[in-house]
Amino acid sequence: GAVVSQHPSRVICKSGTSVKIECRSLDFQATTMFWYRQFPKQSLMLMATSNEGSKATYEQGVEKDKFLINHASLTLSTLTVTSAHPEDSSFYICSARRSGLPNEQYFGPGTRLTVT
Amino acid sequence: QQPVQSPQAVILREGEDAVINCSSSKALYSVHWYRQKHGEAPVFLMILLKGGEQKGHEKISASFNEKKQQSSLYLTASQLSYSGTYFCGTVNNQGGKLIFGQGTELSVKP
């Protein structure tokens, strides 16, 4: 159990367009989901915390108008990168915290975004 | 606050042991250990919650000191499959955010 999926796994888009990434918990309910970004050879940096039914909480330095997060249900959170630029190219990884088991956090397989 | 990991990188021969450290300036709620292979998502190894706790099995284990400010990951008799980047993630309080250290790149050579 405790599987998290992400879609798409890879996406290439042109500069100025928007891209939506989905994160789903397949076999459990997740009240809280997290979005991380990882540049090559670097650590995972937390971008935002997404709580079902409420507004996301963004980390310092992350533009909330550029990275739109929606957590509409207990199994789905989406990250939309708006007006993408080449510097947004990165590996985006979501994770989900199991409702009622706040210590456990499961990661999705990641989405490789390339902006040309 | 990001935890500090050391060493940054380590190269081992198959069968050798390694220790990776993770430290915080403040007492933590929990420490999580992950291994990440290139181009893949991190894979959960274990979580430590209690001061003085030791966890894992013979080959891969971890400890959490009494003050809950320092954790170590022990890799014994390393195998080629152990290669990857190891991250510790720390949570400051119950329900808090998981923040990752800088990572330790481990290479196991034949």
Side-chain angles (χ1 to χ4, degrees):
Chain A
V3 178
V4 177
S5 71
Q6 267 184 256
H7 179 80
S9 57
R10 287 180 178 273
V11 57
I12 300 172
C13 70
K14 290 186 187 285
S15 194
T17 61
S18 296
V19 173
K20 182 187 277 190
I21 302 169
E22 291 186 350
C23 176
R24 291 181 188 273
S25 55
L26 297 184
D27 52 1
F28 65 98
Q29 293 187 331
T31 315
T32 306
M33 289 183 169
F34 302 88
W35 287 95
Y36 291 83
R37 180 167 56 182
Q38 186 177 35
F39 292 107
K41 301 277 188 183
Q42 293 187 23
S43 184
L44 291 87
M45 298 305 294
L46 180 65
M47 297 175 68
T49 301
S50 166
N51 291 297
E52 186 264 336
S54 63
K55 288 184 180 179
T57 305
Y58 291 81
E59 294 300 300
Q60 196 171 12
V62 178
E63 299 174 56
K64 56 184 71 176
D65 293 332
K66 182 170 181 61
F67 299 99
L68 301 178
I69 291 171
N70 185 280
H71 192 159
S73 77
L74 286 172
T75 59
L76 173 65
S77 176
T78 60
L79 168 69
T80 302
V81 182
T82 63
S83 187
H85 288 101
E87 56 265 32
D88 298 323
S89 298
S90 189
F91 192 44
Y92 291 86
I93 312 173
C94 72
S95 69
R97 193 170 270 174
R98 204 166 183 155
S99 300
L101 293 172
N103 297 323
E104 299 181 11
Q105 195 163 322
Y106 303 94
F107 283 81
T111 296
R112 177 79 56 193
L113 170 65
T114 303
V115 185
T116 60
Chain B
Q1 193 173 5
Q2 188 179 33
V4 177
Q5 268 186 253
S6 63
Q8 279 189 305
V10 59
I11 300 174
L12 298 174
R13 290 283 181 198
E14 219 173 345
E16 291 181 337
D17 303 340
V19 180
I20 299 170
N21 298 304
C22 176
S23 62
S24 169
S25 57
K26 295 183 179 180
L28 300 162
Y29 177 75
S30 62
V31 173
H32 308 225
W33 285 98
Y34 291 83
R35 177 172 59 212
Q36 185 180 32
K37 302 272 186 180
H38 181 69
E40 300 177 9
V43 172
F44 174 76
L45 295 176
M46 66 189 82
I47 178 176
L48 297 105
L49 285 157
K50 299 177 186 174
E53 184 176 10
Q54 296 211 13
K55 211 169 191 180
H57 54 76
E58 190 182 317
K59 297 280 183 129
I60 301 178
S61 61
S63 64
F64 199 11
N65 75 342
E66 288 287 348
K67 287 188 176 180
K68 300 183 74 174
Q69 286 182 259
Q70 205 260 337
S71 177
S72 296
L73 183 71
Y74 306 94
L75 302 162
T76 306
S78 59
Q79 304 168 13
L80 296 176
S81 61
Y82 286 7
S83 293
T85 303
Y86 289 78
F87 291 99
C88 70
T90 57
V91 178
N92 287 339
N93 45 60
Q94 187 172 10
K97 302 175 287 192
L98 182 64
I99 304 297
F100 286 91
Q102 316 97 299
T104 297
E105 190 170 356
L106 179 79
S107 299
V108 181
K109 310 284 185 187

